[in-house]
Every structure is written in C-alpha cells, then in structure tokens.
Amino acid sequence: MPPVASVVFATHNRAERLRALLRSLEEQTVPTDQFEVVVVDDGSSDHTAEVLADAEARGVLQLTAIRLQPGRGPAVARNAGWRAASTPFVAFTDDDCVATPVWLEAGLRAWDGDAERVVQGRTDPIPSELDREGPFTRTLRVRSLGPFFQTCNVMYPRALLERVGGFDEETFSVPGGEDCDLARRCFDTGAHAVFADDARVQHAVHELGPVAKLKVAWRWSETMRLYARHPAMRETLTYKVFWKKSHYLLVRALIGLVLPKRMRLLRAWCLAPIAPAYLERAQVEGQGKVWSAPYFLVHDAVELAAAVRGGVRYRTWVV
C-alpha cells in the first residue's frame, strides 16, 4: 500500500544526531512501508552524506535525500522537503531529536484525517543527556499546546501547507520564528490545533559554551516579526510588551539605576527583584552554580538588545 504519512526534516552538520534520528524512525510502530522520510541536507560539510547513503543502503526506510548547496536556511530546506513528499500528512521533526516508537502512530491518530487540524506533540530532553544541562547548554521542552508550534514536533495536513504556501523563506533567513509564523498563518485561514501528549520526541541537550550561547541569543531579531504580523501573539508576552519576564526585570533594574538618588524608594522597588531572580535561575537553569547568575544577566542583556533591534526593524513594540 502507498505510504500514508511523510516525515520531513532538514539537517545541517549533525551527522551523528542524524544517524540516531533515522534509527528511531526505523523503530516506529507504524510499519516502515506505510510512511516515507524526506531529509533535506542543508549544505552540510561533515559526513552527513555518508550517513544518508548508509540509511539508503540499509533499505529499511523509504528515504528521499535532497541536498541544498550552499545551505539556504531552515525555512527553504523544510519547504523543499514537504514539497517533495507524496502523502497527505506531513510530520516535521528536527535533526537533533529522536522519535519515541509510537510518535508517528500517535500523531496520525490525533490528526484523524482532518484537513484543518494541526497536531503538536510533546518534546522532552533526551533522558540520557539530562546530566549535561548547565549554564551553557540548550535544549527544548514542549508540554502543552502552543504558542510557538516548534518544528521539532509538529504535523500538518499537506493541503494546509499548500494553502498558505509553507514557510516564509523571505522573512526568516535563520532559525527562530518561521515555524510559529507558519502555524499562525494556518490558523488565520481557519485551521485549528490539538496537542498529542503521546506523540513524543526527545530533544538533544547541546553543550554550546558561553560565547556560542550568546550568539544564539543575538539571532532572535527576526523572531520579533511575529508580533508585528500576528498581533494576537502579544498575549504570550509579559505585560504584552516584554518577550520574556527576565527582560522585564532587566529593564526595570536599568530604570532603577538611572533614577536620581532622591527617589530612593522607587529605586529600591525597581532593583529589588533582580538579584533574587538571577540567583534562582542559577540554581535551576545553572544547576546550582551560583557563579552563573552574572552570565545569565549578560545573556539576557544580549537577548534584550536583539529583541529591541527586531522591534525597531519591524516597527513593533517588543523588548
């Protein structure tokens, strides 16, 4: 019988992560002759090509590999992937994830053939990598519906992707916002979303280092376009202005620092929450490393600057 679903993802210089993802797809409870896998190699320079060739030679998956050279970014790559797919249901994931065995089966069950239904699944860190978490790592947790509909675990009817034209390649040249924008444009045409808790993937815990993590914080400028294009997204902001609560606390503290000394009580009010907030973050996100509190403050300052830059660029008030 022809495949009923297409698993689509882009990959870039993560050959070993890619190998793990492909192995997890081989272990799906949906028989491998009932779904296809479309991988878009977005300009990799490592041994990604060899990993894909090995998977094709194994013949377990119905695998189509597309190579973009040079790399064009995730929006272009994912569009190339779903457009090459041949089924009415497209399940997106990312190359730094592994799918649990029932992932695709649970996603198909939640979709149930509804041409207007987007399915979002659950994402947790890879359990064996939890001990890596620390101040300079990055992973992803998605445990309820929305608001960003990350492509690590989201599924669309193909007809819906065709109706809205897929990912916006012009606006989103780097990772960050292209997935949420796609979902919001679908909802604007009448689509709706459901959350499938049992459609689970596990996300890598990336050890970035202090400088690379700051570079990630700086790249979020394009993401601010979301709030100009989709005003309803402001409901997700702190006080409908601040991208994150930590940005609010940082701006509040900065105001306190520039207030005249005679405004002692107002200065104290502005500055009071900043130290406890970052010490708590050092305990939780920094895995108890108190020295990480100043780093998180610097990280948020860079992220705040990126948000302001994007807000100015797209003429929307987000900080």
Side-chain angles (χ1 to χ4, degrees), residues 167-209:
F167 297 91
D168 183 344
E169 302 175 5
E170 299 298 324
T171 299
F172 300 100
S173 60
V174 298
E178 76 287 350
D179 40 13
C180 181
D181 173 71
L182 172 63
R184 296 292 164 177
R185 286 188 287 113
C186 289
F187 301 151
D188 288 344
T189 69
H192 63 280
V194 297
F195 188 77
D197 187 77
D198 49 351
R200 299 187 180 190
V201 303
Q202 297 170 346
H203 194 285
V205 178
H206 295 289
E207 300 180 79
L208 301 178

Side-chain angles (χ1 to χ4, degrees), residues 17 49 51 99 121 127 146 155 165 202 231-232 259 283:
R17 294 286 186 187
V51 172
M155 308 174 188
Q202 297 170 346
L259 287 174
Q283 286 296 321

Side-chain angles (χ1 to χ4, degrees), residues 138-159:
R138 184 170 182 268
T139 188
L140 196 60
R141 292 174 171 86
V142 180
R143 293 172 176 170
S144 60
L145 187 65
F148 299 111
F149 297 92
Q150 296 92 331
T151 46
C152 59
N153 192 0
V154 68
M155 308 174 188
Y156 289 86
R158 181 191 174 93

